Amino acid sequence: MALRCIVSVLRFGTPRVAPLSTAPVAREQSAAGEQSAAGREATPGCRAAEGARPPLPVVDFGNTQEAYRSRRSWELARSLLVLRLCASPALLAHHEQLLHLTRRLLGQRLFDKLMKMTFYGQFVAGEDQESIRPLIQHNRAFGVGSILDYGVEEDLSPQEAEHKEMESCTSAVEREGSGTSKREKQYQAHRAFGDRRDGVISARTYFYANEAKCDSHMETFLRCIEASGRASDDGFSAIKLTALGRPQFLLQFSDVLTKWRRFFHQMAAEQGKAGLAATDMKLEVAVLQESVAKMGIASRTEIESWFTAETLGVSGTLDLLDWSSLIDSRTELSKHLVVPNMQTGQLEPLLSQFTEEEELQMTRMLQRMDILAKKATEVGVRLMVDAEQTYFQPAISRLTLEMQRKFNIEKPLIFNTYQCYLKDAYDNVTLDVELARREGWCFGAKLVRGAYMAQERARAAEIGYEDPINPTYEATHAMYHRCLNYVLEELKHNAKAKVMVASHNEDTVRFTLRRMEELGLHPADRQVYFGQLLGMCDQISFPLGQLIPIPVLVHKEDVSGDLEDSDT
């Protein structure tokens, strides 16, 4: 298996054991000062030794001699050649044809040798656990660790990929023509975008073949987790949920979650709460019950049983987190939920019917996730769940949250990924931080910009739904820093929370280091990590790795698109 090593994961020190803060932390809203004070009171003595620490060392990204002293002369020459070629628009536009031509001219054996000497050698750590070991050890000597991620893609033609996607994203009922899809068009399979690799050059793409193939992917992920555990006592490994099951389930679940959240916002608008921040939008339960009863969704007695002190507390109000919990698998409510279709005015079932086989496939997907999380817990490896396309992402995020509830009890073992090129990124981050506070589990996040921008924009325009991507580069940059600042504020008052700043952007890295110093987040706390793809950003990775004399984390991975920024 090809394992691409990346990242400089700058792991800063030893995690501290401190009680989780359940009070709100300082934020942008008007009550910021009071909230910050409450957060500090909730974790007294969290960083008692803070005053005695030396200041954060200055990192000089312009010192090329220091940045590249880990590289031998021939490696620098290779980097210059490969990166110059990768920057050529003409070569990028015709790379597949050029590769096929080169393979025919040289033959497979010479072609493989050429690739290993150039592109493969620049961006890929090796083919198996033994071949990656020298690079891992070499980088670790300079403070740079690794994230392990499987990096082999199935060689499918666009037509084969499209066929597999349409088959695996369509339910049995839809295929048989005995019913039309009730899903919104964003969450339906569309033939024009069946090949999810199109327009995506930095992220591994999986296509569903059968359950045996999903089991094979799981076994590969297990080997990566085990290898990461052996390579480091503070390792990471990355997984993609589309590798673990039929994507139809992710589409249908994403559709359910989106409709349920939209229903909440419709009720909020009726109560004059539209436009508030997601964490501040609180609905009066009595008014909500009246509205739901008028819609004929259920009897008043049934509705009142949904909103109890056990599920909502005694405040008399309900926020989006409370609302989302009502659709939780732990409640009976989810079995008979309906929502109003705002176009037709009719009530429609929220949950689609699954065949017996589809139910089994969904169960197997959840079981594979559980097996991977248990293995990661066993060997002490953090598991990063990569973000994917927006039509899968609501389900991926929700399933990751369920894993975090179960496994992030003492420390964050499961990391969710937040794509900051999305318009709703800040709401997603703030809601999940608040949920972790309420339920008492440890928050772990990887912040990325995103790897699917061109594809997402084209799909939204073609199919006819709102573009989910921020309108400009500047808006995405601001969104990344806004989300990052919020999470760093949380880390200040919660010593168990952790974040990976997955960015190739020097400005973002400098912003992070400055905010760490201002908030008193020292490298020795090991709460903040940085990630870059192997061979793409040495001028950032190695100066960061040498920031303090602590070896940094090592992963074996695939070209994890979620670690690559769109602005590098």
Side-chain angles (χ1 to χ4, degrees):
M1 60 183 177
L3 294 169
R4 296 230 260 198
C5 200
I6 7 212
V7 325
S8 99
V9 190
L10 195 68
R11 48 174 233 224
F12 290 151
T14 307
R16 296 166 176 265
V17 177
L20 281 168
S21 169
T22 56
V25 179
R27 296 289 179 255
E28 299 174 359
Q29 285 73 31
S30 58
E34 297 173 33
Q35 291 175 325
S36 179
R40 283 191 291 272
E41 290 169 9
T43 54
C46 181
R47 291 180 173 84
E50 196 171 89
R53 291 173 173 174
L56 201 66
V58 175
V59 183
D60 183 6
F61 295 123
N63 187 341
T64 54
Q65 182 176 0
E66 191 66 21
Y68 294 106
R69 71 185 178 93
S70 66
R71 295 299 180 220
R72 287 155 288 197
S73 297
W74 70 267
E75 289 177 320
L76 289 175
R78 180 187 66 190
S79 295
L80 180 63
L81 171 66
V82 169
L83 294 177
R84 285 283 176 86
L85 290 174
C86 289
S88 168
L91 287 177
L92 289 176
H94 303 95
H95 68 280
E96 288 190 18
Q97 299 95 313
L98 290 170
L99 287 173
H100 289 311
L101 176 62
T102 306
R103 183 184 285 114
R104 284 201 302 270
L105 292 174
L106 298 180
Q108 189 64 47
R109 185 174 178 181
L110 284 177
F111 175 80
D112 289 347
K113 184 170 291 189
L114 176 64
M115 287 298 103
K116 287 185 179 181
M117 291 171 59
T118 55
F119 295 93
Y120 190 97
Q122 178 71 17
F123 302 123
V124 181
E127 298 178 59
D128 52 41
Q129 295 182 23
E130 288 305 313
S131 64
I132 66 174
R133 195 180 303 277
L135 179 63
I136 288 177
Q137 293 174 344
H138 178 77
N139 285 353
R140 188 190 297 173
F142 291 90
V144 176
S146 305
I147 298 171
L148 305 187
D149 196 353
Y150 185 50
V152 174
E153 277 197 351
E154 192 174 1
D155 189 12
L156 298 174
S157 70
Q159 294 75 23
E160 290 171 325
E162 178 188 298
H163 176 74
K164 284 194 172 188
E165 185 75 354
M166 296 303 295
E167 282 290 312
S168 62
C169 289
T170 308
S171 69
V173 172
E174 292 166 348
R175 286 196 302 274
E176 293 166 3
S178 55
T180 58
S181 175
K182 297 292 185 182
R183 283 179 269 156
E184 295 190 0
K185 51 191 173 183
Q186 181 178 356
Y187 300 106
Q188 296 179 31
H190 292 269
R191 191 169 298 279
F193 298 92
D195 187 352
R196 286 184 280 114
R197 301 168 303 182
D198 190 31
V200 178
I201 59 173
S202 61
R204 165 78 194 269
T205 302
Y206 292 90
F207 292 96
Y208 180 84
N210 50 51
E211 292 299 293
K213 191 68 173 178
C214 293
D215 286 335
S216 174
H217 291 152
M218 181 189 70
E219 292 298 328
T220 301
F221 289 146
L222 286 172
R223 290 196 294 273
C224 286
I225 292 169
E226 290 170 350
S228 183
R230 286 194 293 271
S232 170
D233 60 357
D234 196 18
F236 280 86
S237 194
I239 64 170
K240 277 187 172 4
L241 293 197
T242 50
L244 299 178
R246 190 181 184 89
Q248 172 204 342
F249 168 57
L250 296 176
L251 282 172
Q252 289 181 271
F253 193 26
S254 292
D255 183 56
V256 166
L257 294 169
T258 301
K259 286 179 178 176
W260 192 236
R261 179 177 285 202
R262 185 179 298 125
F263 189 17
F264 175 85
H265 285 290
Q266 291 166 0
M267 297 297 100
E270 288 187 6
Q271 295 193 24
K273 304 293 178 65
L276 295 177
T279 51
D280 292 338
M281 198 176 292
K282 301 183 187 298
L283 307 187
E284 297 295 329
V285 172
V287 178
L288 181 62
Q289 288 174 335
E290 185 69 24
S291 298
V292 173
K294 286 181 179 178
M295 291 178 187
I297 291 177
S299 69
R300 182 171 293 278
T301 302
E302 287 178 312
I303 295 167
E304 289 175 353
S305 70
W306 299 351
F307 308 105
T308 64
E310 180 182 349
T311 56
L312 306 178
V314 294
S315 65
T317 62
L318 172 144
D319 63 16
L320 186 54
L321 292 176
D322 299 322
W323 181 255
S324 297
S325 72
L326 295 176
I327 203 171
D328 197 297
S329 60
R330 293 171 291 185
T331 69
E332 293 297 314
L333 174 62
S334 60
K335 294 181 180 178
H336 56 268
L337 279 175
V338 293
V339 293
N341 183 316
M342 303 311 290
Q343 279 71 45
T344 66
Q346 301 296 311
L347 295 175
E348 296 180 348
L350 192 58
L351 299 175
S352 303
Q353 288 294 112
F354 289 99
T355 65
E356 184 176 347
E357 177 59 26
E358 288 169 344
E359 289 275 6
L360 287 172
Q361 290 169 349
M362 180 177 68
T363 300
R364 291 186 194 119
M365 182 180 190
L366 300 176
Q367 289 171 340
R368 293 181 189 109
M369 292 170 58
D370 192 64
I371 289 170
L372 292 173
K374 286 178 176 174
K375 171 58 72 173
T377 303
E378 177 188 325
V379 300
V381 169
R382 268 73 56 83
L383 203 59
M384 297 190 305
V385 181
D386 283 343
E388 303 191 49
Q389 284 88 347
T390 52
Y391 43 93
F392 294 138
Q393 195 53 42
I396 291 171
S397 291
R398 182 56 183 264
L399 294 173
T400 303
L401 280 176
E402 293 299 328
M403 294 168 67
Q404 290 178 311
R405 280 172 164 156
K406 181 175 180 179
F407 295 99
N408 287 13
I409 305 303
E410 297 298 328
K411 58 184 178 180
L413 286 166
I414 310 297
F415 278 55
N416 205 352
T417 300
Y418 299 89
Q419 298 165 305
C420 295
Y421 66 3
L422 298 180
K423 295 174 182 176
D424 60 359
Y426 185 74
D427 284 349
N428 294 334
V429 169
T430 55
L431 286 168
D432 288 355
V433 168
E434 177 60 26
L435 183 65
R437 289 196 205 114
R438 289 187 189 183
E439 298 184 345
W441 45 268
C442 303
F443 181 76
K446 180 176 72 172
L447 297 183
V448 304
R449 280 172 170 80
Y452 307 99
M453 183 177 71
Q455 185 186 95
E456 293 280 9
R457 287 198 191 284
R459 190 176 190 271
E462 176 70 22
I463 296 172
Y465 57 87
E466 182 184 354
D467 185 353
I469 308 295
N470 288 314
T472 64
Y473 164 84
E474 290 77 16
T476 291
H477 192 65
M479 177 66 80
Y480 193 103
H481 286 198
R482 187 184 185 200
C483 293
L484 176 57
N485 189 61
Y486 186 95
V487 174
L488 292 175
E489 291 265 6
E490 177 66 16
L491 267 58
K492 166 68 176 176
H493 304 291
N494 181 351
K496 287 189 174 182
K498 296 179 186 291
V499 65
M500 174 175 284
V501 183
S503 178
H504 294 173
N505 185 289
E506 274 190 30
D507 183 48
T508 293
V509 174
R510 294 182 193 279
F511 172 83
T512 307
L513 295 173
R514 185 177 74 249
R515 290 297 289 140
M516 287 176 64
E517 186 165 21
E518 292 168 354
L519 294 168
L521 296 171
H522 197 271
D525 297 324
R526 286 192 183 182
Q527 287 186 276
V528 181
Y529 300 80
F530 293 89
Q532 293 84 39
L533 286 169
L534 174 68
M536 287 193 182
C537 219
D538 286 354
Q539 77 278 9
I540 289 180
S541 302
F542 284 89
L544 282 174
Q546 296 165 51
L547 180 64
I548 54 173
I550 294 178
V552 180
L553 211 61
V554 185
H555 302 187
K556 314 163 190 171
E557 29 79 327
D558 153 47
V559 185
S560 174
D562 297 312
L563 283 179
E564 178 175 12
D565 285 348
S566 57
D567 62 347
T568 56

